[in-house]
């Protein structure tokens, strides 16, 4: 008896020590943040203080969760049922302007495009016919407003990385039929992995000590910047949110009408997983409620089940979140006034340039689904998810597979199959500055199924690629595909050795 009792006492003691350590750490973080706030420029100190208080809450929650890490019980995860994810084909047929007068469009525009070697705002990249992401977004919303004689405002959520760039670019849209608002999302301090304390000592410290905390910060930022109240005052009730690099995310009146008819406070557009979509978060049913499951939350021994697209588990994870979200603004106001939204924390480990380990505490906007009434997913066609995350994606968008219609990308009718080709460009094409000079002109790929290119390869003008084409230049070799060349089911290697596939 005494043995088990002393064991229990030891456990309680250990828990108490841990709780004491945690409260000491939280207090010390609180002091660091207060010090940071005192170093801020008086003109922005109040807003900065609000931001640091939000970060402090997130940090305290992170410490508490770190101590009582509750793993998801894998066996309790179920696929969502028919009421939790509705096929797009079941939505009402509608093309009229109903509901549009109450809609606003928000684009998450905080990304830098570092993976493609872009130094400024990714949305300033030219993607098609000399137009940038932002040009296309503005064209889409403008066309909507002109066609239906409505006034759907465009809101751009920027980060401290992209704010100035974005303001510079949108100056050119002043005369257009569109109202554009930009607001800056939060700027949070990175924390040292070793001590879990904030990296910056001063509010003006270098950019490398700060980070934008992911698109889950949308809700806090809408409140802090006053944008939420302003939208409600203008009679806007619905917000369509998507990433600025998703060229498929155009306003869809059928989804909007379904939201109004079904009294849903939150809708998430999901689409069917393919082999390329191993990372996207998915909707699950857990303890009879719907929630978003991100790869960062998956226990390591189940990561393969989650990623696999041809595994028995895919029946469980056959859809993923496109991050096209529809939010009822009155409901959001109610929730934020009632204590806000605690979103699942995503721990993003990073290395500083001088090799020190830091952590960014981030959140995902879609995780809010569990806080809204009657929230559900809509399984939409793949055409509503056209992100540009790499130069391989960019080649596809720039090609003859797509044409532009009022800022919207339409797949060419000459394309025999509804699916897009798989394109894998090697490291020589990774950065935009490497990609551009390698194509005198983008090849014709209307009949392409699969393209793999590795090594130092250059394409001439008027090249046509069909079926499966693989081009491999070995180390130290350069391959030039000549002007007007047609490659159909070919493996090209070495000094233009062609092999039938």
């Amino acid at each position: 008896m005494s043995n088990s009792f002393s064991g229990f006492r030891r456990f309680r003691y250990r828990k108490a020590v841990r709780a004491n350590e945690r409260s000491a750490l939280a207090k010390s973080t609180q002091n660091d943040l207060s010090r940071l706030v005192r170093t801020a420029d008086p003109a922005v100190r109040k807003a900065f203080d609000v931001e640091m208080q939000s970060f402090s809450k997130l940090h305290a929650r992170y410490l508490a969760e770190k101590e009582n890490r509750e793993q998801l019980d894998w066996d309790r995860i179920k696929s969502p049922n028919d009421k939790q994810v509705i096929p797009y084909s079941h939505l009402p047929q509608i093309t009229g302007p109903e509901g549009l007068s109450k809609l606003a469009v928000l684009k998450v525009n905080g990304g830098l495009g570092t993976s493609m070697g872009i130094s400024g705002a990714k949305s300033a990249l030219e993607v098609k016919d000399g137009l940038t992401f932002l040009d296309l977004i503005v064209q889409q919303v403008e066309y909507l407003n002109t066609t239906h004689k409505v006034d759907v405002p465009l809101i751009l959520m920027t980060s401290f990385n992209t704010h100035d760039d974005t303001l510079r670019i949108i100056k050119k849209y002043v005369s257009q039929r569109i109202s554009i608002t930009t607001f800056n999302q939060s700027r949070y301090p990175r924390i040292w992995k070793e001590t879990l304390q904030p990296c910056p000592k001063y509010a003006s410290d270098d950019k490398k000590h700060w980070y934008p905390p992911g698109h889950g910060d949308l809700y806090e930022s809408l409140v802090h910047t006053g944008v939420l109240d302003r939208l409600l005052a203008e009679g806007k009730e619905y917000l369509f949110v998507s990433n600025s690099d998703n060229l498929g995310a155009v306003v869809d009146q059928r989804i909007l009408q379904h939201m109004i008819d079904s009294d849903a406070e939150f809708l998430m557009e999901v689409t069917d997983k393919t082999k390329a979509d191993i990372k996207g978060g998915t909707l699950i049913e857990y303890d009879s409620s719907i929630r978003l499951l991100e790869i960062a939350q998956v226990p390591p021994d189940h990561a393969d089940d989650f990623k696999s697209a041809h595994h028995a588990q895919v029946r469980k994870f056959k859809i993923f979140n496109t991050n096209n979200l529809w939010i009822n603004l009155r409901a959001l106001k109610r929730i934020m006034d009632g204590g806000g939204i605690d979103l699942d924390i995503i721990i993003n480990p990073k290395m500083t340039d001088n090799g020190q380990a830091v952590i960014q505490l981030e959140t995902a906007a879609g995780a809010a689904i569990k806080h809204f009434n009657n929230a559900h997913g809509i399984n939409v066609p793949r055409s509503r998810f056209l992100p540009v995350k790499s130069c391989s994606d960019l080649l596809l968008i720039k090609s003859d597979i797509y044409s532009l219609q009022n800022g919207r990308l339409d797949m060419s009718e000459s394309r025999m199959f509804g699916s897009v080709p798989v394109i894998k460009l090697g490291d020589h094409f990774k950065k935009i500055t490497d990609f551009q000079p390698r194509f005198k002109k983008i090849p014709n790929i209307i009949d392409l199924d699969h393209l793999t290119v590795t090594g130092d390869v250059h394409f001439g003008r008027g090249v046509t690629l069909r079926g499966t084409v693989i081009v491999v230049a070995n180390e130290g070799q350069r391959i030039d595909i000549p002007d007007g060349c047609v490659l159909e089911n070919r493996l090209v290697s070495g000094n233009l050795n062609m092999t039938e596939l």
Side-chain angles (χ1 to χ4, degrees), residues 35-277:
R35 255 201 313 276
L36 262 180
V37 170
R38 287 198 293 276
T39 68
D41 178 343
V44 294
R45 189 174 295 156
K46 192 167 173 239
F48 182 64
D49 187 22
V50 169
E51 229 165 51
M52 290 308 100
Q53 283 175 30
S54 292
F55 173 75
S56 173
K57 269 196 222 148
L58 183 71
H59 186 266
R61 203 153 60 84
Y62 163 67
L63 294 180
E65 284 178 15
K66 194 174 160 59
E67 188 181 315
N68 316 313
R69 201 81 190 126
E70 272 188 44
Q71 286 276 2
L72 278 176
D73 179 349
W74 203 248
D75 298 327
R76 278 167 36 211
I77 294 177
K78 294 188 189 150
S79 293
N81 63 41
D82 298 347
K83 290 204 169 57
Q84 289 167 327
V85 175
I86 292 170
Y88 181 80
S89 56
H90 290 191
L91 301 191
Q93 292 287 352
I94 177 154
T95 48
E98 295 85 352
L100 286 175
S101 59
K102 296 178 178 173
L103 180 71
V105 170
L106 184 144
K107 296 286 177 181
V108 176
N109 193 43
L112 271 177
T114 29
S115 60
M116 292 168 74
I118 304 163
S119 57
K122 185 175 175 183
S123 56
L125 174 70
E126 285 189 6
V127 280
K128 183 103 178 152
D129 302 351
L131 298 170
T132 66
F133 285 106
L134 271 180
D135 293 337
L136 297 178
I137 290 164
V138 168
Q139 275 188 19
Q140 288 169 13
V141 177
E142 241 194 340
Y143 175 70
L144 190 71
N145 285 339
T146 317
T147 310
H148 296 291
K149 301 187 176 49
V150 287
D151 182 18
V152 173
L154 173 63
I155 300 149
L156 301 171
M157 179 170 88
T158 59
S159 67
F160 63 88
N161 287 321
T162 62
H163 195 66
D164 295 344
D165 251 6
T166 307
L167 289 179
R168 191 173 42 72
I169 297 161
I170 63 171
K171 281 198 182 110
K172 68 177 186 186
Y173 307 124
V174 173
S175 56
Q176 264 119 318
R177 179 171 172 154
I178 186 169
S179 113
I180 303 178
T181 302
T182 57
F183 71 91
N184 217 343
Q185 77 168 109
S186 308
R187 179 182 78 141
Y188 280 179
R190 287 174 151 181
I191 57 176
W192 300 112
K193 187 176 180 210
E194 202 54 43
T195 63
L196 305 181
Q197 298 287 283
C199 302
K201 291 275 178 263
Y202 299 92
S204 58
D205 268 4
D206 189 75
K207 262 186 178 180
K208 65 170 185 254
H209 289 313
W210 306 87
Y211 70 99
H215 41 62
D217 176 56
L218 166 76
Y219 309 109
E220 291 271 357
S221 291
L222 278 172
V223 173
H224 296 333
T225 54
V227 173
L228 176 59
D229 285 340
R230 213 193 70 205
L231 286 171
L232 286 165
E234 288 170 5
K236 303 300 175 192
E237 293 179 31
Y238 307 101
L239 185 65
F240 172 44
V241 175
S242 60
N243 295 350
S244 64
D245 68 355
N246 177 7
L247 293 170
V250 294
V251 168
D252 185 297
Q253 284 140 273
R254 292 178 66 182
I255 299 177
L256 176 60
Q257 193 56 45
H258 169 75
M259 186 171 199
I260 297 167
D261 294 347
S262 65
D263 270 337
E265 293 184 348
F266 189 104
L267 294 177
M268 176 188 287
E269 295 184 38
V270 296
T271 193
D272 291 341
K273 240 181 189 187
T274 68
K275 287 194 180 76
D277 310 307

Side-chain angles (χ1 to χ4, degrees), residues 337-362:
D337 285 352
I341 295 180
D342 280 349
L343 300 174
D344 302 323
I345 298 172
I346 296 166
I347 297 156
N348 188 356
K350 297 273 184 187
M351 277 305 218
T352 61
D353 293 341
N354 58 359
Q356 285 179 289
V358 292
I359 290 173
Q360 297 183 174
L361 302 177
E362 301 179 6

Side-chain angles (χ1 to χ4, degrees), residues 259 262-267 290 326 328 331-332 334-335 368-376:
M259 186 171 199
S262 65
D263 270 337
E265 293 184 348
F266 189 104
L267 294 177
I290 190 161
W326 299 74
N328 180 312
L332 178 60
R334 181 193 76 229
I335 291 167
I369 191 164
K370 64 179 179 193
H371 294 272
F372 288 85
N373 297 331
N374 207 1
H376 53 273

